[in-house]
Amino acid sequence: MSEQKKRILTGITTTGIPHLGNYVGSIRPAIASANAAIDAGDGDAFFFLADYHGIIKCFDPEEIHRSTRAIAATWIACGLDPEQVTFYRQSDIPEIPELAWVLNCSCAKGLMNRAHAYKAAVDANLAKEDTDPDFGISMGLFSYPVLMSADILMFNATHVPVGKDQIQHIEMARDIAGTFNFKYKPLFTEPSAVVDENTPLLTGLDGRKMSKSYGNTIPLFGDGNPQIDPEKALKKAIMQIVTNSQLPEEPKDPDNCTIFEIYKAFATADEINALAEQYRRGIGWGDAKEILFNKINSEIAPYRARYLELMNNPKELEEILQMGAIKARRQAQKQLDKTRRAIGIKPLAKLK
């Protein structure tokens, strides 16, 4: 394979509504990274809505549909430029599941047996009496890393931003690419995982990691209903952050407080130091939450109008995704044709 420029690829699973943790941990840094590569002229970027991944665990069609709409609107509102990047819906690229099948046929089952998600599900079953180790485990969950590999290898991505819990999947994609390249023909780039150690993991309303599975998230732009005021929803959620019973005049420890931790993800060093001093002097929890709300709101308020505009105009969202699908399929069709020919699936003879 000839050398290629840096190509960033990020997938967003279409379950749930984007929350503050998604914004800080994924949306904001991914868009900044893509824009930097494009501005420098040394790369491009692919962003996709991973709706086929979404149905692995979510069996509510309305949730998948609602989430797809809200996530697409969120990324575009937050600065993702569909003219500069390739932004598409996974299910609009039929070449991807076809490539996944081809990769399945040369992927060792033993590799999938070591996948963290599968092992965790098996371990949970083994902890119960009289339960089959594979009870409740679908082939979608088991072969999830192969579909993820197809997402990545289809476009020969060089850099894939992921959380630490996803590093194994990138290593598997490298293994799967290497196996195919050795067996047939060197068609696939072995991708590198990009983990930003400086990206904070936000704490949720109850003090645990912010996660939709815990129900402790702070919505970025509301709950996905375009009729609900997202600014009011943001403030309401922030006011629900759990605090201790210390009185306003009592000195407080900023390093042991969810409000302060979230504030650090949005504030400058000077602002962080100033709020820490207020904590030590004794600040009321209501005042601290108000400061946090104003800080977050000042950053995301400029994006809110565009978000609401897109949420109220799904036709525009669909047009944007279809435009991205055309760009993505143009490359996917070429890559799949090379792959099919490499494994011997090609015309028997040229036709006039």
Side-chain angles (χ1 to χ4, degrees):
M1 288 175 291
S2 59
E3 289 188 12
Q4 68 175 96
K5 291 184 177 181
K6 181 178 183 179
R7 172 164 288 174
I8 299 167
L9 183 140
T10 297
I12 311 101
T13 306
T14 56
T15 55
I17 302 301
H19 55 74
L20 216 59
N22 299 142
Y23 175 74
V24 170
S26 176
I27 298 172
R28 186 170 64 182
I31 292 176
S33 178
N35 289 341
I38 292 168
D39 292 343
D42 64 353
D44 56 10
F46 284 62
F47 292 81
F48 68 95
L49 303 172
D51 46 359
Y52 278 149
H53 288 296
I55 64 173
I56 292 174
K57 291 185 177 181
C58 180
F59 306 107
D60 181 349
E62 289 302 317
E63 170 67 11
I64 293 291
H65 185 74
R66 183 174 73 108
S67 176
T68 299
R69 179 181 176 185
I71 291 172
T74 296
W75 279 80
I76 294 171
C78 289
L80 188 71
D81 186 350
E83 297 285 347
Q84 295 294 318
V85 306
T86 302
F87 184 50
Y88 57 98
R89 185 168 38 207
Q90 183 187 35
S91 58
D92 285 334
I93 318 298
E95 292 81 6
I96 291 174
E98 182 173 345
L99 177 60
W101 174 252
V102 173
L103 298 177
N104 261 313
C105 292
S106 60
C107 174
K109 177 180 178 292
L111 183 65
M112 295 298 99
N113 288 342
R114 295 192 290 274
H116 296 324
Y118 172 65
K119 288 177 65 178
V122 169
D123 289 344
N125 284 332
L126 291 174
K128 305 172 186 175
E129 292 185 6
D130 300 323
T131 303
D132 185 280
D134 287 319
F135 176 76
I137 299 174
S138 69
M139 284 304 298
L141 175 64
F142 181 72
S143 60
Y144 163 85
V146 181
L147 179 57
M148 184 171 175
S149 296
D151 291 323
I152 297 166
L153 302 182
M154 176 62 81
F155 301 104
N156 278 327
T158 60
H159 296 76
V160 184
V162 292
K164 290 181 180 179
D165 60 332
Q166 292 286 317
I167 292 176
Q168 185 196 43
H169 289 144
I170 308 305
E171 292 172 345
M172 287 180 165
R174 292 177 61 86
D175 189 289
I176 290 170
T179 298
F180 184 96
N181 291 344
F182 178 77
K183 281 186 177 181
Y184 296 106
K185 189 177 181 180
L187 294 180
F188 299 114
T189 299
E190 296 186 11
S192 297
V194 179
V195 179
D196 187 350
E197 298 290 348
N198 297 318
T199 299
L201 293 175
L202 295 193
T203 300
L205 299 176
D206 57 1
R208 293 181 292 177
K209 173 189 172 183
M210 189 178 293
S211 171
K212 58 180 180 287
S213 62
Y214 294 147
N216 65 353
T217 62
I218 297 175
L220 187 61
F221 296 126
D223 66 355
N225 185 342
Q227 305 305 316
I228 295 178
D229 186 336
E231 183 171 332
K232 290 182 179 178
L234 173 66
K235 188 167 188 176
K236 180 180 178 180
I238 290 174
M239 292 301 168
Q240 292 174 341
I241 294 175
V242 175
T243 55
N244 60 34
S245 58
Q246 284 183 287
L247 298 175
E249 63 271 14
E250 292 183 74
K252 299 171 180 65
D253 180 9
D255 296 323
N256 190 29
C257 175
T258 298
I259 299 170
F260 189 77
E261 180 184 314
I262 297 174
Y263 184 79
K264 289 193 295 183
F266 291 87
T268 65
D270 288 343
E271 290 170 334
I272 292 170
N273 291 334
L275 183 58
E277 182 59 28
Q278 290 189 61
Y279 266 70
R280 287 186 283 268
R281 291 178 180 176
I283 186 174
W285 291 129
D287 291 338
K289 291 176 180 179
E290 189 73 30
I291 290 172
L292 175 62
F293 165 73
N294 289 330
K295 189 61 192 172
I296 295 173
N297 197 49
S298 67
E299 180 166 331
I300 68 173
Y303 306 142
R304 196 176 285 130
R306 179 58 173 154
Y307 171 80
L308 292 174
E309 179 184 2
L310 290 166
M311 287 296 288
N312 286 301
N313 189 3
K315 183 179 179 181
E316 181 182 355
L317 271 179
E318 186 62 32
E319 289 173 349
I320 291 171
L321 291 174
Q322 289 303 319
M323 178 183 71
I326 291 172
K327 289 197 293 184
R329 290 201 70 191
R330 192 178 298 130
Q331 298 198 41
Q333 287 168 345
K334 293 178 181 178
Q335 182 73 345
L336 184 62
D337 181 64
K338 293 178 183 177
T339 303
R340 297 181 73 183
R341 289 176 180 275
I343 63 177
I345 298 178
K346 55 186 176 181
L348 302 179
K350 290 185 178 180
L351 300 177
K352 294 182 179 180

